[in-house]
Amino acid sequence: MAAKRDPDIMHSERHYLTPLFEPQSIAIVGASERGDSIGATVVRNILEAAFKGRIYCINPRHHSIFGQPAYAHLKDLPERVDLAVICTRAALVNEIVAECGKAGVRYAMVISGGFSEVGPDGIALEKAMLDIARRYRMRILGPNCLGLVRPANNVHLSFTKGAVLPGTVGLISQSGALTTAVLDWAAPNKVGFSAVVSLGTESDVDFGEALDYLVSDHRTENIFLYIESIRNARRFMSALRAAARIKPVLLIKVGRNPAGERAIFSHTGALVGNDDVFDAALQRAGVVRLQSFDQLYAAVSALYLHLHPNGNRLAIVTNGGGPGAMAADHAADIGIPIASLTEATLSRLDAVLPSHWPRSNPVDIIGDADPARFGAALEACLADPQVDGALVILTPQAMSDPTQAARVVIEQSHKSKKPLITCWMGEEQVREGRLLLRSSGLSTFRTPEPAVEMFAHITRYYRNQKLLMQVPTSVTDDHAEPLLDSAKLLIETALAEGRTQLSEMESKALLAAFHIPIARAVVAHSADEAARLAHDVGLPVAMKVVAAAIAHKAEAGGVRLNLHSLNAVRGAYEEIIEEVRAHSPSARIDGISIEPMVLKANGRELLIGVIDDRVFGPAITLAAAGANGEPGSKRVVALPPLNRFLVSDMLNAESLKSRLGEQRNAPAVDMESMETLLLRVSEMVCELPWIKEMEISPLIVDDEGAVAVDARIILAPLTTDAEPYDHMAIHPYPSHFHAEYLGRDGTRVAIRPIRPEDAQLSRAFVDGLSPESRYFRFMNAIRELSSAQLIRLTQIDYDREMAFIAIEGEDGAAKEVGAVRYAINPDGESCEFAIVVADDWQGKGLARRLMELLIQAAQKKGLQYMTGEFLAENSRMLKFVASLGFELHVHPDDPALRLGIRALK
């Protein structure tokens, strides 16, 4: 039993953006022969590209343009075109978009500027344009974009000059200027592109959709993005993660400082979020971020040359100690470990190097090294299992022979699959060698630092791919369930009272509901009561003002620490009241909290925060307490949900190692306690979308555990139509969908959403299907799943698709016996499903149970319709879906297929 050609694993399936990227007919509105006008440049480019489709020039003042017949209006064309390219001034665009809609055009590319990037008037103009487009169900690329190039299809619809070579790199950019610079560099460097698209202000078609197209495009092997701002974080993350699972993705994002943010807003009219949150998002997406134009050129070259590392341990081979030290220092600065060579490798190097070589990495082969010594040392390093890649540095010395050394290095590169980067320092003597290296496909640099950065950026792909594979749940299952009802009641009570900031007592109660250890406090309303409570709590104590309006109590004089006597407690009470009233006369004081003074001989103070990034939503931060105010300090940021792997990655950050590790006369902190605590914070963020800000500071941690001494939480009301986890950029693993099916023969089958680690189960499942079942499922004679197909089936985004698998048996004996999935269509209202059940489980009711779960999940998602495509000859499937309420019709595009439609409401 099976259904549907699955677009996730079938290249023949047309993506809905295909008419935009691969149009068969084009209308250029504003076409012209006038000098270097946009309209003239676009027409020249498409003609010089030898476009094989139909070209229509629209300009009422011309009868022909560059030999092409010109038409006054779109309505005069002899056919409905796939794509309209609008090159007129902004004031005319909306009228033209309306003409496109009336003429049945489904895609329009607006190259014209003068919209949201110029201010309120432009924003209004852009909104009106989108309203018109939506009325006619038309999609818009732009406005204020450079255009689109698809070399393999002879499509060059941009106002850049020069030809673009066909290749395997897909480029998506928000900057037309950067796009022109990249294309100008690419041609002489023999770098080709599968597609180049400039998005402009992203009024409609955005990064997520363009990325989604490149993911499905078999011509695109590597993807590069230039980003200034993100408009839809969830869709962007969804598409980015889907892309990075299959193809390497590199990007540059600007706006790392206020000046950059202002420049972005003036260019795109969009806001920019926190830069370190953006970095955290990229890490979870399996993507590598570059910082400069030079790094872009080097990285694109590396991708084009298929440089794919498996780790980040670097060996440095050099004939100069100084350059080797420079490379090693820079590697340490950017977190690239210098490989520890094995004893076998050291012995092998002993045999080919002078006796006084330093026997360490960097491998200094001494200044008198000839080409043969370069080759022998490099061969030994590349063969070392503890080396993931190598950097060879040559300085022109008396016996160097840079040209012959380059030939030897090239020969060694053919013997190993590990990344190899070269640095031929100097100019005159090394020019020929550098040209040889470059022509052979090796990346080569003039100085060590950019060479190391190149290796770092490419190998970061290895680390981020591990983070991408993580699919945490919203609530971990390795400790007590949180008291969700109590936590929600506390929040709803505060909001009902018109308060968005919780008191310290309320904030700690919220932490306690998620089993986060706290320093418990009681509240006193007089000096005498404070003394009695301090006696009960036990000296020494800490005292803090309880006042909702005061966020930073110490600054207002509202904190006293380490009080060892009851008289000191009485005096502190009066002092706090007096100082707080002087600092904040209008603040209501609800008492003074008394809590035991947390004294840990080996304690370290940390700050755990939750921030609400304006692009990516909630993010969890971790830093040394007070780090936000310390010059040069750095917080570690991660996007929820988290699991132990992701938390461990946070705690191993370079900026925290000295804080958490062993110190003089002090053991390392209890990392397991820290992991558990961060997991509980992640749970809070997932399950309590009202939290806008949270700060646990100080969190005191030592080798025995952690305790939250103080906490501050700020809330925000939810919109009435908010869905669970809508506030998060990454959808948690939907563990609440776990179910069970009891077969008619008593066999139990577990049903749950699919995970990345199910890849081998799924491969074995498809391999075990009969040829007929495989044919009905995939609608061709597929024999086995490719690696890319397997990734697309098992590594899904739960926000835009869902897949359930049925598993019989446990652990090593587990096997998949059924799978069902849906993918949400671009309209956001409907989805398409596919199902297949093992041959020996057909007719036992499992397929119906799987479909019931899938339909429930789609209904919970708010989808309106579910559709499926079936072979007309698959009578058993047609009968089954009809019994589930699907209406069957002859497929409008293929009479050999049937289209099933079921309303979900």
Side-chain angles (χ1 to χ4, degrees):
M1 179 174 291
K4 184 182 175 289
R5 290 170 296 186
D6 194 333
D8 287 338
I9 60 171
M10 297 295 291
H11 288 313
S12 61
E13 195 78 24
R14 272 168 57 95
H15 191 278
Y16 67 92
L17 288 182
T18 298
L20 172 65
F21 281 85
E22 302 177 19
Q24 301 301 308
S25 54
I26 300 166
I28 302 172
V29 185
S32 171
E33 293 183 350
R34 179 171 51 85
D36 290 331
S37 67
I38 294 175
T41 304
V42 171
V43 175
R44 275 198 302 265
N45 283 338
I46 194 66
L47 292 175
E48 290 173 3
F51 178 62
K52 295 179 174 59
R54 283 88 59 202
I55 303 170
Y56 301 102
C57 297
I58 310 296
N59 192 321
R61 293 191 294 273
H62 294 267
H63 294 293
S64 68
I65 295 173
F66 294 123
Q68 300 291 314
Y71 297 81
H73 302 284
L74 282 158
K75 65 181 180 181
D76 301 328
L77 299 182
E79 65 172 314
R80 186 182 77 181
V81 296
D82 291 331
L83 174 64
V85 184
I86 301 175
C87 309
T88 67
R89 66 181 190 273
L92 300 176
V93 168
N94 287 359
E95 179 183 344
I96 294 168
V97 170
E99 284 188 36
C100 289
K102 292 173 185 175
V105 178
R106 289 289 174 260
Y107 291 89
M109 181 164 61
V110 182
I111 293 179
S112 317
F115 290 85
S116 60
E117 78 277 6
V118 301
D121 291 343
I123 291 172
L125 194 64
E126 188 172 301
K127 182 179 182 303
M129 177 190 70
L130 287 178
D131 289 342
I132 295 168
R134 286 171 182 145
R135 190 184 314 150
Y136 292 102
R137 301 178 70 84
M138 180 168 49
R139 302 303 308 276
I140 301 288
L141 175 63
N144 192 29
C145 71
L146 180 76
L148 182 149
V149 185
R150 180 76 164 157
N153 293 84
N154 306 95
V155 174
H156 190 159
L157 292 168
S158 78
F159 64 93
T160 186
K161 294 181 179 179
V164 180
L165 298 176
T168 59
V169 177
L171 170 63
I172 307 175
S173 173
Q174 282 178 326
S175 168
L178 182 134
T179 305
T180 59
V182 171
L183 295 181
D184 186 61
W185 162 83
N189 285 280
K190 308 301 181 189
V191 173
F193 295 88
S194 58
V196 179
V197 57
S198 165
L199 296 173
T201 65
E202 285 185 272
S203 65
D204 184 22
V205 175
D206 62 11
F207 256 112
E209 291 181 282
L211 256 176
D212 195 60
Y213 176 82
L214 293 184
V215 172
S216 68
D217 176 35
H218 67 279
R219 292 193 178 98
T220 301
E221 296 180 10
N222 310 291
I223 299 172
F224 172 74
L225 312 175
Y226 174 84
I227 297 176
E228 294 178 343
S229 59
I230 304 299
R231 292 183 181 270
N232 186 320
R234 177 68 73 81
R235 187 159 61 190
F236 173 76
M237 285 296 292
S238 174
L240 200 60
R241 287 163 65 85
R245 286 177 177 123
I246 298 175
K247 304 172 182 182
V249 180
L250 302 178
L251 63 78
I252 285 179
K253 178 186 176 291
V254 293
R256 296 193 301 271
N257 53 55
E261 286 195 31
R262 289 192 294 272
I264 290 168
F265 184 79
S266 66
H267 183 203
T268 66
L271 295 175
V272 183
N274 294 289
D275 199 60
D276 55 359
V277 177
F278 186 86
D279 277 340
L282 295 186
Q283 290 166 9
R284 287 294 297 277
V287 172
V288 176
R289 181 179 184 178
L290 310 175
Q291 302 294 340
S292 71
F293 213 48
D294 288 340
Q295 291 174 2
L296 157 65
Y297 291 156
V300 170
S301 299
L303 288 178
Y304 196 67
L305 297 168
H306 306 283
L307 180 63
H308 299 311
N310 289 319
N312 65 351
R313 298 166 298 180
L314 180 65
I316 301 169
V317 177
T318 176
N319 67 341
M326 291 168 63
D329 283 347
H330 196 60
D333 290 341
I334 61 177
I336 291 297
I338 300 300
S340 297
L341 302 178
T342 64
E343 278 301 322
T345 300
L346 292 173
S347 298
R348 187 173 174 182
L349 290 169
D350 286 338
V352 296
L353 297 182
S355 60
H356 56 285
W357 85 279
R359 292 196 96 245
S360 63
N361 184 16
V363 178
D364 185 352
I365 62 176
I366 314 302
D368 64 353
D370 59 9
R373 195 184 296 172
F374 267 98
L378 177 59
E379 184 176 25
C381 289
L382 289 175
D384 191 315
Q386 295 182 180
V387 170
D388 298 312
L391 166 62
V392 182
I393 304 174
L394 178 144
T395 60
Q397 301 184 41
M399 300 188 62
S400 301
D401 193 349
T403 302
Q404 182 58 27
R407 293 191 180 100
V408 170
V409 168
I410 291 168
E411 182 183 349
Q412 290 300 326
S413 73
H414 295 152
K415 299 178 181 179
S416 174
K417 294 182 179 180
K418 294 179 181 179
L420 176 58
I421 299 170
T422 64
C423 173
W424 260 223
M425 299 182 72
E427 193 59 45
E428 186 65 30
Q429 297 180 52
V430 302
R431 182 178 291 115
E432 184 180 354
R434 193 180 285 146
L435 288 173
L436 277 174
L437 292 166
R438 187 173 290 123
S439 64
S440 73
L442 289 175
S443 296
T444 187
F445 297 85
R446 285 176 164 80
T447 57
E449 290 86 354
V452 173
E453 288 176 3
M454 166 71 172
F455 182 77
H457 290 307
I458 299 300
T459 58
R460 200 158 289 137
Y461 176 75
Y462 170 79
R463 169 182 176 267
N464 290 357
Q465 283 290 304
K466 287 185 176 180
L467 301 184
L468 170 65
M469 290 290 288
Q470 307 307 308
V471 285
T473 60
S474 61
V475 178
T476 57
D477 56 6
D478 59 352
H479 64 264
E481 288 286 318
L483 306 176
L484 277 178
D485 291 340
S486 299
K488 291 177 180 178
L489 179 61
L490 191 156
I491 289 172
E492 290 165 357
T493 300
L495 292 174
E497 295 173 357
R499 294 186 292 116
T500 56
Q501 180 166 330
L502 298 182
S503 69
E504 179 189 347
M505 304 288 285
E506 291 170 322
S507 297
K508 285 185 173 180
L510 212 56
L511 297 181
F514 282 79
H515 309 292
I516 293 175
I518 61 171
R520 297 193 178 274
V522 290
V523 178
H525 299 89
S526 69
D528 287 340
E529 186 181 12
R532 288 196 302 273
L533 292 174
H535 178 269
D536 294 340
V537 167
L539 297 171
V541 296
M543 300 177 65
K544 304 171 191 174
V545 68
V546 180
I550 299 176
H552 300 286
K553 296 183 281 291
E555 294 176 8
V559 177
R560 295 293 186 275
L561 302 175
N562 210 21
L563 301 171
H564 284 266
S565 72
L566 298 183
N567 284 336
V569 170
R570 289 190 182 91
Y573 184 97
E574 302 294 351
E575 289 172 5
I576 290 174
I577 296 294
E578 182 179 349
E579 290 186 28
V580 170
R581 283 178 175 162
H583 181 274
S584 305
S586 61
R588 191 182 85 177
I589 299 175
D590 295 318
I592 306 294
S593 69
I594 313 291
E595 60 188 63
M597 187 69 195
V598 179
L599 298 172
K600 290 178 176 282
N602 299 322
R604 296 93 190 266
E605 293 190 3
L606 299 176
L607 184 155
I608 294 179
V610 173
I611 60 175
D612 184 29
D613 183 74
R614 53 188 167 183
V615 174
F616 290 101
I620 298 170
T621 67
L622 176 63
N628 291 338
E630 295 176 4
S633 62
K634 186 178 181 181
R635 65 185 181 182
V636 180
V637 183
L639 293 189
L642 302 177
N643 61 13
R644 288 200 177 271
F645 184 94
L646 296 168
V647 166
S648 177
D649 187 72
M650 287 183 74
L651 295 174
N652 285 317
E654 287 293 327
S655 59
L656 291 174
K657 280 185 177 179
S658 61
R659 193 76 168 182
L660 302 178
E662 284 189 32
Q663 298 178 354
R664 187 184 307 172
N665 301 321
V669 305
D670 182 352
M671 296 297 277
E672 185 175 349
S673 293
M674 279 299 302
E675 287 181 5
T676 300
L677 193 146
L678 284 165
L679 287 174
R680 290 169 177 171
V681 171
S682 174
E683 290 178 356
M684 291 183 70
V685 173
C686 294
E687 300 301 326
L688 303 177
W690 302 270
I691 294 178
K692 189 172 183 63
E693 286 181 34
M694 183 168 78
E695 186 177 283
I696 303 174
S697 178
L699 175 80
I700 299 181
V701 58
D702 65 3
D703 55 310
E704 296 181 349
V707 59
V709 176
D710 203 349
R712 179 176 66 92
I713 294 176
I714 295 176
L715 309 173
L718 300 181
T719 58
T720 55
D721 59 346
E723 292 288 329
Y725 313 120
D726 268 0
H727 61 300
M728 301 171 65
I730 300 175
H731 200 288
Y733 176 76
S735 56
H736 57 283
F737 278 125
H738 282 220
E740 190 177 70
Y741 174 72
L742 183 63
R744 293 167 185 166
D745 60 355
T747 304
R748 292 186 180 275
V749 173
I751 301 175
R752 59 166 172 79
I754 202 164
R755 287 179 173 272
E757 55 263 35
D758 295 324
Q760 294 312 311
L761 277 178
S762 294
R763 183 188 293 278
F765 171 58
V766 173
D767 289 347
L769 293 173
S770 66
E772 181 185 54
S773 291
R774 278 201 298 269
Y775 176 70
F776 282 151
R777 166 61 178 89
F778 301 106
M779 295 194 185
N780 69 11
I782 185 173
R783 293 189 176 183
E784 63 179 21
L785 296 175
S786 69
S787 296
Q789 291 170 336
L790 202 60
I791 289 170
R792 294 305 304 272
L793 285 173
T794 57
Q795 298 179 31
I796 70 171
D797 186 304
Y798 304 104
D799 184 47
R800 63 177 184 173
E801 53 190 322
M802 179 57 71
F804 294 103
I805 59 172
I807 300 174
E808 179 187 7
E810 296 181 359
D811 301 327
K815 68 174 183 176
E816 183 178 333
V817 295
V820 66
R821 66 182 57 238
Y822 74 65
I824 298 177
N825 292 319
D827 59 16
E829 297 180 351
S830 64
C831 64
E832 203 168 351
F833 86 93
I835 184 171
V836 62
V837 172
D839 291 77
D840 56 351
W841 273 86
Q842 293 179 16
K844 296 182 178 181
L846 178 59
R848 185 171 298 275
R849 179 61 178 139
L850 286 170
M851 283 300 299
E852 288 172 353
L853 284 172
L854 193 73
I855 289 170
Q856 289 171 14
Q859 289 172 329
K860 192 168 184 178
K861 188 68 181 173
L863 298 172
Q864 305 293 316
Y865 296 95
M866 180 176 285
T867 66
E869 295 178 2
F870 323 103
L871 288 168
E873 62 196 86
N874 192 352
S875 57
R876 187 175 180 185
M877 184 68 189
L878 296 177
K879 182 179 179 181
F880 172 66
V881 296
S883 72
L884 292 171
F886 283 81
E887 296 180 5
L888 293 168
H889 309 273
V890 175
H891 199 289
D893 297 328
D894 188 345
L897 297 179
R898 296 296 179 265
L899 177 66
I901 304 174
R902 184 193 192 280
L904 296 174
K905 292 294 184 180

